[in-house]
Amino acid sequence: MSFLSLVVKNPFRNKTRSALAIVGISIGIIVIVALGMVTGGLENSTQSTLKAGAAEITVIQTGSSSFGSGGSLNESLAASLLNISGVKDTAGILRATNTSTTVATTTSNSSSGGFGAEGGVSVTGIDTNKLSLIGVDTINGTAFTNTSTNQVIMGTTIAQSLNKTVGDTIDLYGKNFTITGTYETGNFITDAGIMMPLSTLQNLTSNQNKISDVLVKVNDNANVTTVSQSIENAYPNQLSTTTAADEANRINQGLSFINTASWAISLLAIFIGAVGVINTMIMSVYERTREIGVLKAVGWRDRRILGMILGESIVLTLLAFVIGTIVAVVGVELILTLSPSVGGIIKPSFAYDIFLRAFVVAFLVGVIGGLYPAYRASRLSPTEALRYE
């Protein structure tokens, strides 16, 4: 039997003990890969907020939230901001939350209910000519017209959640609206909402001539921070601004916290797994003391013995890496498939560095967990080992 065959087969002489060690390592690998896929997908979505063409600055009333609902600003403010140096274009938008709970259907492709909590759907009112400022560059179908009172476009996330398509109708605020198109911006928040003409949403929510915030597109040669500060200086204690980069940084900080937590959980699971590997390999060395003595007696050097035991430890952890990776990928895809509302928001990342990180962790655990047992085996005296019962 070749040296490589011994390294691959020996760890599984005691299947139960080996299986427990593999399970311990696999749990850590599952956490690393699964959370890496999810946070990576969210990071990719965050970067889409910086896409070309979209507004770089959001203007809100001082003290309010950039994602708040309701009208707190006068609609005329959008035009006034065009007078500030560096501002290229503006769009006043009204954000609201739908309180309807029924979904009207007109085609066989639609389903009643579906989303379950449709009352929490975000609805945005905006001028159809300003859609690019909110990140909507292409539409599957057609955009609504500013004069329409019964047309909307939907993000792909909510369209999938509600099983809706172009031509279907949806009940919003007790009124049927025809879906004229769907859009995908890559931003998980925007893609989970519905858009309609600004005037229509203002009338539905009794916010005539009111908007929630103003989206600002700056000139190509303008500095975003400078323009943002100019707006606040022009309207002291009235307006606050936030940039797309600021929003992305805040989201990334939250994702960094999730990554840190995932590493802490992973390290705990890996520590437990490493203890299992050490225990497995030490017991394996004790049980094979005579065998190791025979190998030494026939000429095996200490270095070869050490390499064999260390290799067996690494085989265990690399197998745990493979199992953990498969379980993580299948598990994430299964969860997102069974939960369309979540799956539409999160697009898992399959970046190579996620799997490389998991592989390195598994390999290091194999080396660390097998080092002491391998050293102990390599230092056994052939004569004493052969007398061992």
Side-chain angles (χ1 to χ4, degrees):
M1 185 177 290
S2 68
F3 177 78
L4 184 59
S5 297
L6 283 173
V7 170
V8 173
K9 293 180 178 180
N10 282 340
F12 306 102
R13 290 186 177 184
N14 189 314
K15 294 182 174 58
T16 301
R17 193 163 56 217
S18 298
L20 291 174
I22 290 172
V23 168
I25 299 296
S26 296
I27 292 173
I29 299 300
I30 290 171
V31 174
I32 292 175
V33 175
L35 289 183
M37 291 170 62
V38 172
T39 55
L42 291 175
E43 286 172 356
N44 293 337
S45 178
T46 300
Q47 293 305 312
S48 69
T49 62
L50 306 177
K51 64 189 297 185
E56 296 93 349
I57 301 172
T58 300
V59 181
I60 61 175
Q61 184 180 46
T62 300
S64 63
S65 168
S66 58
F67 294 106
S69 298
S72 56
L73 300 173
N74 192 287
E75 187 177 351
S76 62
L77 178 65
S80 299
L81 291 178
L82 288 171
N83 298 320
I84 293 179
S85 177
V87 174
K88 181 179 182 180
D89 197 8
T90 62
I93 65 173
L94 177 65
R95 302 183 190 273
T97 302
N98 171 55
T99 55
S100 175
T101 55
T102 60
V103 180
T105 60
T106 58
T107 73
S108 58
N109 292 328
S110 300
S111 63
S112 180
F115 193 64
E118 191 182 336
V121 172
S122 173
V123 183
T124 301
I126 186 172
D127 186 315
T128 190
N129 298 314
K130 306 286 188 177
L131 287 172
S132 62
L133 269 67
I134 205 169
V136 179
D137 296 322
T138 58
I139 297 174
N140 176 30
T142 60
F144 51 77
T145 60
N146 283 329
T147 57
S148 69
T149 58
N150 64 343
Q151 294 179 348
V152 296
I153 58 175
M154 302 181 71
T156 53
T157 298
I158 190 172
Q160 292 171 3
S161 298
L162 294 172
N163 194 22
K164 292 292 185 179
T165 188
V166 176
D168 289 352
T169 62
I170 182 171
D171 186 299
L172 298 170
Y173 302 101
K175 180 178 179 180
N176 283 348
F177 284 81
T178 300
I179 302 168
T180 62
T182 59
Y183 62 86
E184 183 173 11
T185 65
N187 183 305
F188 63 91
I189 297 175
T190 305
D191 291 344
I194 296 174
M195 297 186 190
M196 64 172 63
L198 175 59
S199 59
T200 300
L201 187 58
Q202 286 174 330
N203 291 331
L204 287 172
T205 58
S206 300
N207 279 294
Q208 283 77 9
N209 300 318
K210 293 292 184 178
I211 54 177
S212 304
D213 44 65
V214 181
L215 303 179
V216 177
K217 177 71 179 173
V218 303
N219 291 321
D220 295 338
N221 60 347
N223 181 279
V224 174
T225 303
T226 301
V227 175
S228 177
Q229 191 62 51
S230 296
I231 294 173
E232 292 187 357
N233 291 339
Y235 296 88
N237 302 319
Q238 299 179 52
L239 301 180
S240 296
T241 60
T242 181
T243 66
D246 291 337
E247 291 289 351
N249 288 336
R250 276 194 287 269
I251 294 174
N252 282 332
Q253 286 176 1
L255 295 177
S256 296
F257 175 78
I258 295 174
N259 270 327
T260 301
S262 72
W263 269 109
I265 297 171
S266 301
L267 290 175
L268 177 61
I270 289 168
F271 173 76
I272 296 172
V275 171
V277 171
I278 294 174
N279 176 68
T280 298
M281 298 314 300
I282 288 178
M283 292 304 297
S284 176
V285 169
Y286 276 128
E287 292 170 355
R288 294 157 54 197
T289 299
R290 285 179 60 84
E291 176 187 324
I292 293 171
V294 170
L295 292 175
K296 284 197 155 192
V298 298
W300 278 43
R301 297 191 176 188
D302 292 351
R303 185 172 55 192
R304 192 171 176 84
I305 295 293
L306 187 145
M308 180 182 69
I309 302 300
L310 197 58
E312 293 172 10
S313 175
I314 293 173
V315 165
L316 282 177
T317 55
L318 292 187
L319 180 58
F321 161 75
V322 173
I323 294 173
T325 300
I326 293 174
V327 171
V329 172
V330 173
V332 168
E333 289 289 353
L334 187 61
I335 290 172
L336 298 183
T337 300
L338 295 177
S339 303
S341 58
V342 178
I345 295 175
I346 301 175
K347 303 296 182 184
S349 171
F350 293 93
Y352 76 92
D353 60 297
I354 296 173
F355 303 99
L356 179 61
R357 181 170 59 183
F359 174 83
V360 170
V361 168
F363 182 80
L364 289 178
V365 169
V367 172
I368 295 171
L371 199 56
Y372 172 71
Y375 174 77
R376 186 183 180 88
S378 68
R379 304 304 296 173
L380 284 173
S381 168
T383 54
E384 292 181 6
L386 289 172
R387 287 201 300 267
Y388 182 82
E389 293 297 336

